[in-house]
Amino acid sequence: MSDPQTVEVETGAEPTASVIWLHGLGADGHDFEPIVPELRLPETLPVRFVFPHAPVRPVTLNGGMAMRAWYDIISLDRNGPVDKAGINESSQLLEGLIAREEQRGIDPGRIVLAGFSQGGAIAINTVLRSGGKLAGLMGLSTWLPLPDALKSGGLDTTPPVFMAHGQFDPMIPMQYGRAAADALAEAGFDVDWHDYPMAHAVCPQEIDDIRAWLVGVLS
C-alpha cells in the first residue's frame, strides 16, 4: 500500500518532533495547514507537521458521491454498520507515515497523532492498534470508531490524550466525543477533555489549549 500524499510544514530547521494530523471528511491535507503559525510554537521546539490527503472514495452517507474520505460512512448511528475494513486500511496508511517519520530520524516517542472528525477516528484507532510508544493522541470533534478495539488487551495506554469538541456540534454530537474520552480513560489513558461553545469547528481558545498541550508533551 503506497503512502498517501502529504502537505508538510516545519516550524524550524531540523525538526525534533512530528505531528501527523488527519483532516475530516471531504477536506484535504491543506485544511489545517493555516493553524501551524497560529500555534506559535517556541523556536526551541522545531516540529514537522504532516497533513496527509485521504484517498478519494464513494461515501454512502453522501449518496455515493466520491470525495476524500478515510473510510466509507454508512450511518451516523453509533450502533449502525461500520466500514471496519476501511478504518483499518487507513490506520495502516497512518502507521506507514509513522514509520516514515522514524526513518527521517524522529523517535516514536516524539510523534503525535492528531485528527479532526473522521481523521480523529482514524488517529484513535491507530493508537489502539499500535504497539509503539507515541508522544500523544489528539482527537478533535471526533468519536471512537471501533469500540471493540479497547477490549483487545495489551493496549499501550502511555500516550497522553487531548480531546476537544464543540458543545453545539450538529454533525458529531458532543456526547459521541465525551463517550470516546470516557472509554479511553476507563481503559487507562490519561485524557485531557475540553469542550467549547462552537459547532463542528476549531476555535481560538482550542488552538491555545492545543498549543499548551503540545508544548507539554513534546518538551
Side-chain angles (χ1 to χ4, degrees):
M1 192 181 301
S2 60
D3 287 342
Q5 292 181 310
T6 58
V7 176
E8 298 191 5
V9 181
E10 296 183 356
T11 65
E14 299 181 22
T16 61
S18 297
V19 177
I20 309 175
W21 194 325
L22 279 62
H23 61 77
L25 180 68
D28 65 18
H30 292 286
D31 201 29
F32 285 92
E33 190 181 0
I35 279 182
V36 176
E38 293 179 34
L39 289 169
R40 307 182 327 279
L41 293 179
E43 292 179 8
T44 52
L45 180 61
V47 177
R48 177 185 299 119
F49 285 84
V50 179
F51 301 105
H53 299 299
V56 174
R57 70 179 83 218
V59 175
T60 301
L61 197 69
N62 287 349
M65 186 186 301
M67 61 183 64
R68 290 200 181 276
W70 296 107
Y71 60 95
D72 186 18
I73 300 281
I74 304 164
S75 165
L76 287 180
D77 182 351
R78 272 199 293 182
N79 300 313
V82 176
D83 177 17
K84 185 174 180 179
I87 292 168
N88 284 321
E89 184 180 282
S90 281
S91 284
Q92 199 175 333
L93 285 176
L94 186 46
E95 286 161 0
L97 289 174
I98 294 169
R100 191 176 76 172
E101 289 309 295
E102 288 185 65
Q103 289 163 7
R104 295 159 100 181
I106 305 294
D107 185 90
R110 305 279 298 157
I111 298 173
V112 171
L113 298 190
F116 176 80
S117 194
Q118 195 192 41
I122 295 300
I124 291 172
N125 189 63
T126 305
V127 166
L128 298 182
R129 279 171 46 119
S130 171
K133 304 288 184 191
L134 296 169
L137 165 65
M138 191 165 75
L140 312 178
S141 304
T142 191
W143 63 94
L144 179 62
L146 298 176
D148 285 350
L150 282 170
K151 302 170 187 170
S152 59
L155 287 177
D156 173 19
T157 59
T158 52
V161 179
F162 178 99
M163 290 197 71
H165 218 106
Q167 296 160 5
F168 313 120
D169 191 330
M171 308 281 293
I172 313 298
M174 190 175 78
Q175 61 260 35
Y176 285 25
R178 185 75 242 197
D182 290 346
L184 289 168
E186 197 173 313
F189 287 89
D190 180 10
V191 180
D192 188 5
W193 169 265
H194 298 258
D195 54 74
Y196 308 92
M198 63 177 185
H200 195 60
V202 174
C203 66
Q205 181 60 55
E206 183 177 6
I207 292 171
D208 287 348
D209 292 339
I210 289 170
R211 177 191 189 276
W213 181 81
L214 273 179
V215 170
V217 300
L218 294 176
S219 293

